Amino acid sequence: MKRVILAILLTAVVFGVTGQAKQGKRVKRKYRQTEQENRELPPVLVHGRVHNADSEVLAGASVVVRGTRIGVSTNEEGEYFMKGLTTGIISIQASFVGYRTKIIDYQLREGNNDIYFTLDREEVALEPVTVTSQQREQQLLEIPSGITAVSSSMMTANNIRELSQLAEFVPGLTVREQTPHRPNYVIRGLTSDEVSLSAQPRVSVYYNNTPVSRPSLASAELYDMERVEVLRGPQGTLFGRGAQAGVIHYVTKKAVAGSQGYLSAGAGEYGMQEYQGAVNGTVLPGKLFARVSGIYTTREGYVKNSFGGTLNGENTLGARVSLRYLPFWNTRVDLVVNYQQDDYPGTAFMSKQLPNTNGSTDIFQYEASLEQGKNLGNYRDISGTSLEIKRFRNENNYLSSTTSYMTNYADSRWDGDGTAAPAIDMAEKIDVRQFNQELRYNFSLRSRINGFAGVSYWRERAKQNYWFSPDEQYMSYLLMGIPQLMVNSEGTPVPMTALPPDPQLGPLGGLALPASHSEENLSGALNQAIDAFADATWRMTERLHLTGGIRGTYERFKLTNESRMTGETPSTLGMLTGMSPNLFFRPAAKSEAKTSGIALTYRAVLKYDLNENANFFAGYAKGRRPNVIQFNSAGEREIMNQETLNNFDAGFKTSVAQRLWADVTGFYQLFSDFQTNAWVGNTYLVRDAGKATSYGVEGSLKIALLKNIDLFGNYAWIHARFDSIDSQGNAQEFAGNTFRLTPEHSYTAGINAKVKLYKGFRLFAVPSWSWKSHVWFEDANTAGLEQKAFGMVNATAGFMLENPSVILSVTGSNLLDEKYLISAGNTGAMFGIPTFIPGAPRMLGAKITWTF
C-alpha cells in the first residue's frame, strides 16, 4: 500500500508541474499573459479581482454581465475570468452578501480587459460566508439546495468545540455522540451508523475535500476551523455515493502568507482544562507557507462510578500541520497532516430498572455502579494526510489532484447491563485504513456553464473484533427472563451458581454455571469504489439557471467473518441459545461474502433569480445506500438490498439590505428497501423495513439588527414515518413508526450582542436557546426508550480588548440544568434490561484567548 501511495503522490506532483520546469527563474506571470502569448485569443477577454476597502479578497463573489447569460464566481484569490463577450459598452456587476452591490459600465476592447471591484461594507451588515460545496468558491445564496455554513466566528462566539454542539445551529441535523468512535449523524431523519463493516454511511463526512466516510474517523475536535458546511438531501454528484442523506464538510484554516495566530487557555467544572492555539508564518517569501495548530482538552466524567473512576469524561490531544507551496505562478500545493488521540473514561450505560450500590435507580443522580471500574474506557487514535495540487489554466479553469490516506484505531470496553453484576462485559476494537485519489477539472465554458468533471478511486480495509466475557451466574437471570433477581434492593449482585433443577430444562437442570467465559467475533472488510462524475450549472437566461449532475459508481465489497471461544471455559448457557460452546456467537471458521455492482446517482435543479439577492429553486435528486453484507450469530451470511431515496426539494433564499438573511427549504422524500437496525437473536443486524416517507420544512434566519447586535435562529419540522404497506402490498412491521433520533420539531434562537464601554474595550454576550420535541431511540418506537421534549440554554459572555487582541469569556452549558437522555436501549434492551445514558448537567467554564 505504501508503494501505491508513493507512486500516486509522485504522479500527482509530476502532473502538477508538467511543462513548468523550463520556466526556470522567469518572472511570475498573470493568467492573461499565458492566454495571450500561448493561445489564440478570442475577441474579448475579461480578467479582474473583487476585494473590499481593506484590500481583502472576496472569494465566491458573484460577477455577472447585466443583460446577458455570462456570470462566474471569484476564486480563492478573489479573481475571475470571462470570455464570450464582444467589444462595446457593458454593465458588469459584482455582489457579495454583506457588501453593497457595485456596477461598472466599461468599454470592452479586443484582447485583455482588466476590471477590478472594490466593494464597500455596510455599516450594519451580515457576516459574509464563502462555501465550496459545489467544488468551487461561492456564496450561500448561489447554492440551489438546503445548506448551512457555520463560520469560524460563529463557532468562537458560541464556544463550539464538538459537532454535537454545532448541530444545534443547523436545521435538520442531529448528532449523538455516546462514544467517540460510534457517533450518529442524522439528517432529515436518516441516521448514519454501521453495524457491518461493509455498510456505507448515509451521511458523508468530508475533511478539506477528502472523504472520511466511516463515523469513527469523522468525529473530530473543532479547532482552528474556517467553517463547517452541512448540505441536506442527497449530494451524490458533489460528494460521492455515501452522501445519501447529506454531507458534513469540515474546512480547516490553511497556511497563508503573513504572520498570525492565537493562543487560548480555559478551565471549568469537573476538572475541565482546555488549551489550544495556532501559528501561521512564511517560510520562503512568495513560495512556502506553514500553519501549525493544536488542542488539548480534558475533563472528568460527570457520572461517578462507585467501582472507581468517572464516566462520560473527555481527554483529547490533537495537532495539525498545513503547508502551502507555490512552485509556479499557476500551481498550488496544499499538504495537511492531522492527528487526534482520544483517551476517554468509560460510557455511563445505566439501568433505570435495577438499582446501583446505593439502592437508587435515578440515573440523574449521576452515579453508576459498573463493576469493571477504571477498566472501562474509550480509546481512539486517528491520523490523516491529504495532498491537493491545483494547476490553473486561468482564474476559473483548473485541474486538481487530491490524494489522501487516513487511519483509525479504536478500542472500547463497556458494561452492557448497567449494574454491579458482571452479566454483560463487552469490548470492541476497530482498525480502519482508507485511501482516496481524485482527479477533477473545474471549468467555465464561455462563462455560461460552470462546473466540474472527474474520476476517483476509494479503498478501505477495516477490521473489527467484538469480545464478550459474560459471567453466566448473572447472565442466567437475563436469559430466563427474571432480571429483577440479578441484584438485591441495595444493588448488590446475587449469583446463580447453577441452573435450577427444573424439568423443563431437561438434562441442563442443575448444571453448574461458569463465572468466566469469553468469546469473540472477528470481521474484516475490503471495500472499493471507482467513480466518474460531472456536475455543472448552465445560465439558461440572465435569471434562470439549470444545475445538473451525474455520478457513476462501480463498487466492490468483501466481508469475512469468524467466531471462536477464547477462554478455557465453555458456556453452559450456550446449550440454551444453541451457540455452544459459546453463548452469543456459534464458533465458525473464517467465511467470506462478496458483492459488486454499478450504480448511478444524479440531480437536476432549476434556480430563478429574482435579483442578485433573492432566488427560488426546485429540484430532484436520487440517493442510495449500497447493499449491505452481514453475518448473523450463527455465522450465516446475507446481503441486503440497496436502499434508494427519491428526494424533491424547493426553497427560497434572500438577503435583504445586507442586514437580513432568510432561507427556507421544503422537502419530500420517498424510500424503498429502507435499511433499519434491530436486534435479531443475539446480533444487532440490518433489517429491510420496506417503504418509508418523510417530508418537512427547514429554515434559518439571521438579522444584523444594529451595528453590534445580531439575531440568529433556525427551525426544522420533519415528519418521517414508515409506510403502512411495502412495495408488494404487505403490511409492514414498523407501519406508522417515527424514524429514530428524529424530533418532529426543533429550533434554536439566540443573540450576539456587543457593548462598547470605551475605545478598545467591549462587553459581549451570546445566549442561545435550543429545543427539541419528542425523540424515539429505536425505529421500533419501544415505549420507555424515548426522550420527551426538552430545551437547553447555553451562553457565552465576557469582554474583549482591541489592542492587544484579548478575549476573556465565561461559558455556561445547560444553564437550566435540564435532565435529558443521550441514548436509551443499547445492548441491555436485547435481554429486557435497557440501559440509558444521561445527558450532561449544567457546566461552567472560563477561557482567555490572545489573537496576534
Side-chain angles (χ1 to χ4, degrees), residues 51 64 127 193 218 224 272 343 472 531 591 616 658 680 708 783 806:
H51 54 80
V64 299
E127 177 192 19
D193 57 357
D224 202 32
M272 188 274 283
D343 192 2
E472 298 198 6
D531 290 346
S591 57
F616 291 98
Q658 310 303 329
V680 180
N708 293 311
V806 174

Side-chain angles (χ1 to χ4, degrees), residues 135 237 398-400 437-443 451-457 530-535 550-552:
Q135 307 302 328
T237 64
Y398 55 89
L399 185 64
S400 62
Q437 173 64 50
E438 178 183 274
L439 292 175
R440 187 179 71 247
Y441 183 70
N442 281 65
F443 56 83
F452 62 88
V455 295
S456 67
Y457 170 70
I530 299 174
D531 290 346
F533 51 86
D535 192 277
I550 188 169
R551 179 178 293 259

Side-chain angles (χ1 to χ4, degrees), residues 592-604:
E592 179 180 289
K594 299 179 181 178
T595 185
S596 62
I598 298 175
L600 291 176
T601 55
Y602 38 82
R603 69 166 182 158

Side-chain angles (χ1 to χ4, degrees), residues 386-649:
S386 64
L387 178 70
E388 182 183 65
I389 303 172
K390 286 187 177 180
R391 182 182 176 189
F392 291 84
R393 182 184 174 202
N394 57 47
E395 294 89 334
N396 292 103
N397 292 266
Y398 55 89
L399 185 64
S400 62
S401 167
T402 303
T403 308
S404 66
Y405 184 67
M406 295 195 171
T407 67
N408 169 47
Y409 174 78
D411 187 351
S412 179
R413 187 174 180 180
W414 68 96
D415 187 311
D417 56 79
T419 72
I424 309 176
D425 186 9
M426 303 177 64
E428 178 188 21
K429 294 182 180 180
I430 296 177
D431 191 350
V432 180
R433 314 212 175 264
Q434 291 183 355
F435 170 77
N436 187 76
Q437 173 64 50
E438 178 183 274
L439 292 175
R440 187 179 71 247
Y441 183 70
N442 281 65
F443 56 83
S444 179
L445 301 179
R446 299 188 68 80
S447 305
R448 296 176 185 171
I449 301 177
N450 298 285
F452 62 88
V455 295
S456 67
Y457 170 70
W458 172 79
R459 177 186 176 95
E460 175 188 63
R461 280 194 177 276
K463 296 179 182 179
Q464 182 182 61
N465 183 349
Y466 271 120
W467 174 82
F468 303 86
S469 182
D471 185 329
E472 298 198 6
Q473 296 184 4
Y474 300 94
M475 175 60 72
S476 55
Y477 290 108
L478 305 184
L479 290 184
M480 296 175 68
I482 48 175
Q484 68 275 11
L485 302 180
M486 190 169 66
V487 298
N488 61 24
S489 59
E490 287 80 33
T492 302
V494 179
M496 180 189 297
T497 56
L499 288 171
D502 189 336
Q504 294 184 1
L505 295 177
L508 297 180
L511 283 182
L513 293 170
S516 63
H517 165 76
S518 60
E519 60 190 76
E520 61 183 2
N521 177 259
L522 299 94
S523 298
L526 175 61
N527 304 318
Q528 301 178 82
I530 299 174
D531 290 346
F533 51 86
D535 192 277
T537 298
W538 173 36
R539 297 179 70 98
M540 302 172 66
T541 69
E542 182 181 3
R543 298 187 176 217
L544 186 62
H545 309 248
L546 173 63
T547 298
I550 188 169
R551 179 178 293 259
T553 301
Y554 171 71
E555 54 200 4
R556 297 179 61 186
F557 304 111
K558 181 175 74 173
L559 184 68
T560 61
N561 182 266
E562 61 179 305
S563 300
R564 60 196 182 198
M565 187 180 75
T566 55
E568 297 180 356
T569 307
S571 168
T572 297
L573 295 176
M575 288 183 275
L576 292 176
T577 63
M579 302 298 162
S580 181
N582 281 344
L583 174 61
F584 293 119
F585 287 91
R586 180 181 298 158
K590 188 174 183 179
S591 57
E592 179 180 289
K594 299 179 181 178
T595 185
S596 62
I598 298 175
L600 291 176
T601 55
Y602 38 82
R603 69 166 182 158
V605 190
L606 281 173
K607 179 170 75 77
Y608 182 78
D609 294 332
L610 297 175
N611 52 50
E612 69 271 17
N613 293 314
N615 63 66
F616 291 98
F617 67 87
Y620 163 81
K622 179 186 177 182
R624 62 179 288 273
R625 192 188 198 194
N627 307 77
V628 174
I629 311 173
Q630 60 187 3
F631 289 83
N632 63 22
S633 58
E636 300 164 340
R637 61 188 177 186
E638 60 180 352
I639 299 178
M640 307 303 298
N641 292 333
Q642 72 169 7
E643 177 181 278
T644 58
L645 165 61
N646 292 294
N647 180 87
F648 303 88
D649 273 357

